[in-house]
Amino acid sequence: MQNVLQTRWRIDCEKRRSPRGNIDVHRLLGDWFDDAEWRRDLSRIPSRQRRVMLSEIGRDMFVDNIGNYAKELRWNMELVDWVWTDEQRRSLALDHARLLFASLSDSIDFASGTFPQTELDVSGAEHVLDPSETGRGVILVSVFQTHPGYAFVSPPLRDRKIGVIRKAPGGSASLTLDGLPKSVAELPASTAAVRPLLKLLNEGSVTAAYCDYIYEGSGTIEAPMFGAWVSVSRSLLKIARQTNAAIVPMAVARDLDLSKELVRVEFFPDLTDGDSRHFQLSDLSFRLGIALECLIRRYPVQWRLWNTLRDRLN
């Protein structure tokens, strides 16, 4: 089965090359996930075995520079040559390719509702629990890393009402937010999410959003990241200040040793020091930008958006 799938993968990649020979890896993975035949065949392989097989495909994609994937990835990573040496960046990029493809296995498991008995190493739960005890809502802010479903089934969030902002299902968006627990309500990535967000936060509930991606119509404000400026959601910060919500950074990262069933879920201190109403939006955006960079630096291999870094840095 694995050899058949790897052959199909090679053929599929060749079909997807652009006129310049490039392949959009995120679209490729999203299409595999949305394709019933691909998902059925991958689902027949045990989870851990499937994850290792997919990681080997990612490694081959990088080593053989299929669709100029390695070239584009390393070109984007040149922007952080003052953080990691060339040798470190090459190692990081290779492991990133492995983990990116392996992450498809998590999406398949969550979508089928049969995700494995993964060991969760949870830390910082008090940063979610403490604000809730005083009636404050919590906005979890994160970057695209390992499937967030692992965080939502972890002790501080399990069975809690959570609102998650997401793009419309389909394509690469499905890879990170399909198959979430029933306690998680999906909110549209549009102005239609404002009212339910306000309601949830005023009730002292938890909401979550990826902040390394700008949702259309949310308005933007600049924040620092890797020595440049990026756009983050102005609307989200305005809502935090209006509701006095805590802004809690969150990391979800699978261990690099894929033979282990270990995912780390980490919650970090509230960016608002206990009261978001005392901050200007520019102050909150500055803190948010620094926090997002710290999340990426902490688990750089797991960040899914390395190959779009040049588009994100102004």
Side-chain angles (χ1 to χ4, degrees):
M1 172 65 77
Q2 290 190 49
N3 290 337
V4 171
L5 289 175
Q6 287 175 323
T7 300
R8 282 173 56 191
W9 160 71
R10 288 273 183 177
I11 294 172
D12 199 37
C13 284
E14 289 300 324
K15 291 180 179 178
R16 293 170 180 274
R17 288 181 184 271
S18 70
R20 296 177 57 190
N22 295 345
I23 294 176
D24 185 333
V25 171
H26 289 280
R27 182 175 295 278
L28 172 69
L29 290 173
D31 289 347
W32 284 359
F33 181 75
D34 291 333
D35 186 292
E37 184 179 357
W38 266 107
R39 199 193 304 190
R40 180 200 65 207
D41 291 343
L42 285 169
S43 297
R44 290 173 176 170
I45 302 173
S47 182
R48 185 179 303 186
Q49 184 179 345
R50 181 202 314 136
R51 187 178 302 112
V52 172
M53 184 201 78
L54 288 167
S55 75
E56 291 173 352
I57 290 176
R59 179 199 61 201
D60 292 346
M61 191 93 178
F62 181 85
V63 172
D64 297 341
N65 193 32
I66 296 173
N68 294 324
Y69 174 53
K71 182 179 178 181
E72 290 287 331
L73 187 56
R74 298 195 69 184
W75 179 62
N76 275 277
M77 286 186 171
E78 286 177 359
L79 291 176
V80 291
D81 59 2
W82 52 277
V83 181
W84 293 282
T85 66
D86 185 66
E87 182 178 349
Q88 288 172 330
R89 293 198 310 278
R90 190 186 189 287
S91 176
L92 192 163
L94 176 57
D95 283 338
H96 165 78
R98 291 175 51 247
L99 265 290
L100 179 64
F101 276 74
S103 68
L104 179 59
S105 183
D106 290 327
S107 299
I108 291 172
D109 286 334
F110 271 96
S112 65
T114 58
F115 58 94
Q117 296 301 309
T118 302
E119 178 185 354
L120 298 180
D121 181 5
V122 182
S123 63
E126 68 275 11
H127 301 306
V128 177
L129 299 176
D130 290 351
S132 298
E133 290 178 357
T134 61
R136 295 181 72 204
V138 175
I139 300 176
L140 298 173
V141 295
S142 192
V143 295
F144 283 87
Q145 293 174 326
T146 300
H147 199 292
Y150 289 111
F152 300 143
V153 298
S154 67
L157 297 177
R158 186 184 300 140
D159 300 325
R160 291 193 61 173
K161 187 177 181 181
I162 303 171
V164 176
I165 300 174
R166 72 168 296 176
K167 293 174 62 180
S172 59
S174 297
L175 290 176
T176 50
L177 289 172
D178 269 6
L180 295 179
K182 293 181 180 179
S183 57
V184 178
E186 296 178 2
L187 305 178
S190 68
T191 54
V194 173
R195 183 169 295 178
L197 273 175
L198 290 172
K199 183 175 185 296
L200 284 167
L201 293 171
N202 283 323
E203 292 173 349
S205 297
V206 177
T207 63
Y210 285 118
C211 289
D212 51 353
Y213 179 88
I214 290 298
Y215 300 97
E216 186 176 350
S218 69
T220 63
I221 187 171
E222 288 191 329
M225 182 184 290
F226 290 117
W229 294 97
V230 297
S231 296
V232 296
S233 173
R234 173 185 291 271
S235 298
L236 192 66
L237 297 178
K238 287 177 67 176
I239 289 172
R241 196 171 62 172
Q242 182 177 341
T243 60
N244 191 28
I247 303 177
V248 177
M250 175 183 76
V252 184
R254 176 171 288 283
D255 192 275
L256 294 183
D257 183 350
L258 295 179
S259 66
K260 297 180 181 179
E261 290 291 353
L262 175 63
V263 173
R264 293 180 177 84
V265 179
E266 299 180 339
F267 303 98
F268 298 93
D270 175 17
L271 299 181
T272 72
D273 297 333
D275 194 335
S276 54
R277 296 167 297 187
H278 293 170
F279 288 87
Q280 297 294 323
L281 288 182
S282 58
D283 296 327
L284 288 177
S285 68
F286 188 89
R287 290 187 172 210
L288 177 60
I290 296 299
L292 297 179
E293 180 177 334
C294 288
L295 291 176
I296 296 169
R297 283 179 180 244
R298 189 168 182 82
Y299 296 109
V301 167
Q302 287 86 346
W303 191 43
R304 297 179 182 228
L305 303 183
W306 276 117
N307 65 333
T308 63
L309 184 62
R310 286 185 183 269
D311 294 333
R312 297 174 192 280
L313 299 185
N314 295 332

